[in-house]
């Protein structure tokens, strides 16, 4: 078969790119390794930058978001048992929206069903070929049959573990891992806070997020080699109470419906382009979740890549030629913000020396005191959290 753009991966990046192309009549096929049920069940990000919300609105993909998304004017930073509000709206005139990635994927997929897009699930052995030339193609196995899709462009929106990045000869990665992980839970209890709380505590980082006015999402810093089996519900709540507690405030507990441990990593590929193959989203870069930037970076990439492909079909090659450079330039700013938030808020236990660990902790408190005490520092945080321009 033949199409114009072969999209590999039906995460938020691939699904959104399909909609951008559909709007201008560019043909595409989306090939996804997992089942529809699997991708609809995946619980991940929860915060949309204002730019992400604006793009979904422009594309007419925000009906569910407008109904169920929760607009937040800021976040709380907590340390030494005190909670400080950072008011994004007041500082930079922007907001963020709490809307689960799971809900976004569900909506994008439902819209693909409505417009009759060719989205194929449970596709195995996907491989891009001849992307250096003018006639690339993708091979795969679907329903026991070998598939060959001839196309103009191949898009690798296949996440961190995908096949497209390794298909680029000589590609390098700049990366670092962190000596801690996040234990995340979903609980059927109304959030105990209006805005998200990010807390530094001597026992480790904790955070209170939400999915709706009925469902809370909470996270705890744990060691990366810990097993979820060592975290019965009672222990999770006890640590959340300890790390998030402030005088006169109550953290409401509820039934836990999901819990998992996620390692933390920063990763940027040296290029997002090889001939007619382009990478977008987690396929090209990963951030630790503390700045809430992974999903938003995927959306920023496809907004740029979509526009660039539209320009290319209109006869202008320029934007596509500069896609990798432009997307990576934005991504490095996002990387430094995510690393900064992560290191400021997590307890660093790796040094064997107690005095070094104590010094590190006190400088983090100093950094938080500066950040919450200076309007300039608050504005810098607000500007980056609410999102750099696309
Ligand atoms: P995805 O979502 O990983 O989708 C890639 C898709 O490609 C498929 N795939 C293949 N398909 C065909 N053939 C192959 N060989 C394939 N290999 C893989 C996969 O099955 C999958 O369906 O990447 P995408 O679209 O780039 O989207 C990126 C986001 O999912 C990710 O950055 C965020 O979830 C990160 N993240 C957060 N980002 C935020 O912006 N705000 C947050 O608050 C936030 N919180 C989080 C997060 C990620 C988390 N985890 C679990 C990693 C919280 C957590 C706990
Ligand atoms: C979430 O709601 O899952 C969430 C919110 C903010 C983050 C990370 C995750 O920084």
């Amino acid at each position: 078969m033949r199409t114009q753009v072969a999209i590999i991966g039906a995460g938020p990046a691939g699904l959104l790119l399909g909609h951008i192309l559909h709007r201008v009549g560019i043909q595409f096929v989306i090939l996804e390794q997992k089942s529809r049920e699997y991708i609809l069940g995946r619980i991940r990000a929860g915060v949309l930058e204002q730019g992400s919300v604006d793009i979904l609105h422009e594309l007419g993909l925000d009906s569910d978001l407008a109904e169920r998304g929760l607009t937040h004017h800021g976040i709380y930073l907590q340390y030494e048992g005190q909670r400080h509000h950072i008011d994004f709206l007041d500082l930079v005139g922007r907001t963020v929206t709490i809307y689960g990635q799971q809900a976004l994927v569900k909506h994008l997929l439902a819209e693909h069903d409505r417009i009759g897009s060719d989205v194929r699930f449970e596709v195995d052995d996907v491989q891009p070929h001849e992307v250096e030339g003018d006639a690339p193609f993708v091979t795969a196995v679907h329903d026991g049959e070998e598939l060959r899709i001839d196309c103009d462009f191949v898009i690798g929106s296949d996440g961190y573990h995908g096949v497209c990045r390794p298909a680029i000869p000589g590609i390098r990665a700049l990366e670092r891992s962190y000596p801690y992980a996040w234990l995340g839970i979903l609980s059927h209890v109304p959030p105990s806070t209006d805005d998200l709380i990010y807390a530094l505590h001597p026992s480790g980082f904790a955070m209170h997020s939400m999915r709706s006015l009925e469902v809370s999402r909470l996270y705890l810093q744990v060691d990366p080699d810990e097993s979820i089996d060592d975290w019965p519900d009672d222990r999770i709540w006890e640590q959340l109470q300890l790390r998030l507690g402030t005088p006169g405030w109550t953290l409401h507990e509820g039934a836990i419906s999901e819990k998992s441990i996620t390692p933390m990593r920063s990763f940027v590929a040296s290029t997002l382009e090889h001939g007619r193959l382009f990478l977008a989203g987690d396929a090209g870069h990963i951030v630790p979740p503390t700045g809430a930037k992974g999903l938003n970076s995927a959306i920023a990439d496809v907004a740029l890549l979509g526009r660039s492909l539209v320009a290319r079909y209109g006869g202008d090659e320029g934007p596509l030629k500069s896609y990798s450079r432009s997307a990576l330039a934005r991504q490095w700013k996002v990387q430094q913000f995510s690393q900064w938030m992560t290191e400021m808020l997590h307890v660093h236990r790796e040094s064997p020396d107690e005095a070094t660990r104590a010094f590190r902790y006190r400088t983090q408190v100093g950094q938080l005191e500066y950040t919450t005490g200076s309007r300039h520092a608050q504005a810098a945080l607000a500007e980056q959290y609410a999102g750099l321009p696309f």
Side-chain angles (χ1 to χ4, degrees), residues 44-47 98 182 196 198 207 209-211 217 219 289-293 385:
R44 284 182 159 186
V47 177
I98 307 298
W182 274 21
L196 271 51
Y198 290 80
M207 148 158 194
S209 181
M210 62 197 74
R211 284 293 174 272
R217 178 94 168 129
Y219 296 98
T290 328
K293 291 289 171 239
Y385 194 103

Side-chain angles (χ1 to χ4, degrees), residues 8-14 31-34 38-39 42-47 101 123 126 157-163 182 217 219 262 280-283 289 292-298:
I8 303 178
L31 303 175
E32 167 61 47
Q33 185 178 48
K34 302 281 192 200
Y38 182 91
I39 74 155
R42 219 157 32 190
I43 298 164
R44 284 182 159 186
V47 177
Q101 181 170 329
V123 181
V126 175
S157 48
D158 50 349
Y160 181 63
H161 299 287
V163 292
W182 274 21
R217 178 94 168 129
Y219 296 98
T262 311
D282 277 14
K293 291 289 171 239
L295 170 61
N296 291 298
S297 298

Side-chain angles (χ1 to χ4, degrees), residues 113-163:
D113 291 342
R114 192 179 61 77
I115 61 180
S117 303
D118 190 350
V119 185
R120 303 186 188 195
F121 294 94
E122 298 178 71
V123 181
D124 292 320
D125 300 333
V126 175
Q127 199 58 49
H129 302 273
E130 314 232 341
V131 294
E132 293 92 349
D134 289 343
F137 61 97
V138 174
T139 54
V141 176
H142 188 222
D143 283 341
E145 274 181 37
E146 302 223 348
L147 206 64
R148 172 179 163 136
I149 302 173
D150 291 284
C151 55
D152 300 329
F153 299 100
V154 181
I155 308 304
S157 48
D158 50 349
Y160 181 63
H161 299 287
V163 292

Side-chain angles (χ1 to χ4, degrees), residues 120-389:
R120 303 186 188 195
F121 294 94
E122 298 178 71
V123 181
D124 292 320
D125 300 333
V126 175
Q127 199 58 49
H129 302 273
E130 314 232 341
V131 294
E132 293 92 349
D134 289 343
F137 61 97
V138 174
T139 54
V141 176
H142 188 222
D143 283 341
E145 274 181 37
E146 302 223 348
L147 206 64
R148 172 179 163 136
I149 302 173
D150 291 284
C151 55
D152 300 329
F153 299 100
V154 181
I155 308 304
S157 48
D158 50 349
Y160 181 63
H161 299 287
V163 292
C164 291
R165 192 180 64 251
I168 299 182
I171 194 165
R172 285 169 292 110
L174 295 177
E175 62 186 310
R176 58 168 299 193
S177 57
Y178 297 85
Y180 30 79
W182 274 21
L183 187 163
I185 64 160
L186 205 60
S187 178
H188 284 269
V189 61
S192 306
T193 180
D194 51 352
D195 278 338
L196 271 51
I197 306 167
Y198 290 80
L200 171 69
H201 184 276
S203 299
F205 169 77
M207 148 158 194
H208 190 330
S209 181
M210 62 197 74
R211 284 293 174 272
S212 66
L213 296 176
E214 294 82 40
V215 177
S216 298
R217 178 94 168 129
L218 297 114
Y219 296 98
L220 283 172
Q221 174 185 351
V222 298
D223 289 337
D225 52 3
E226 279 190 75
S227 160
I228 198 72
D229 299 337
D230 296 330
W231 284 90
D233 296 3
D234 287 356
R235 183 176 175 210
I236 294 174
W237 285 116
E238 182 229 314
Q239 280 298 310
L240 287 168
Q241 295 286 2
L242 174 73
R243 300 184 196 182
L244 288 169
T246 55
W249 176 78
T250 307
L251 172 64
H252 302 291
E253 300 184 9
I256 295 179
S257 59
E258 204 268 344
K259 55 179 167 181
S260 60
I261 293 181
T262 311
M264 291 169 76
R265 162 185 307 281
S266 296
F267 166 92
V268 186
S270 54
T271 181
L272 303 179
E273 175 197 345
H274 180 60
R276 287 173 173 248
L277 169 65
F278 294 89
L279 304 179
D282 277 14
H285 39 73
I286 297 275
V287 283
T290 328
K293 291 289 171 239
L295 170 61
N296 291 298
S297 298
I299 294 175
D301 279 1
V302 291
L304 186 60
L305 184 55
R307 273 205 303 272
S308 306
L309 286 166
V310 172
R312 169 66 177 68
Y313 279 104
D316 179 4
E317 294 220 19
L320 199 54
K321 280 203 158 39
S322 60
Y323 162 71
S324 177
R325 194 164 21 89
S326 304
L328 287 178
R330 184 183 192 277
Q331 178 56 206
W332 277 111
K333 294 184 212 164
V334 167
Q335 288 284 338
Q336 72 76 29
F337 175 69
S338 302
Q339 176 179 271
W340 175 75
M341 283 281 280
T342 300
E343 297 204 314
M344 178 166 71
L345 287 159
H346 290 74
V347 175
H348 305 265
R349 299 189 230 273
E350 59 276 25
S351 170
D353 172 34
E354 164 62 27
T356 306
R357 290 201 303 271
F359 184 89
R360 178 99 195 232
Y361 190 85
R362 294 311 313 170
T363 57
Q364 287 174 249
V365 172
Q367 200 173 19
L368 281 159
E369 275 176 347
Y370 171 65
T371 303
T372 53
S374 153
R375 191 170 166 91
H376 299 292
Q378 285 185 31
L381 188 156
E383 184 177 40
Q384 297 178 87
Y385 194 103
L388 298 172

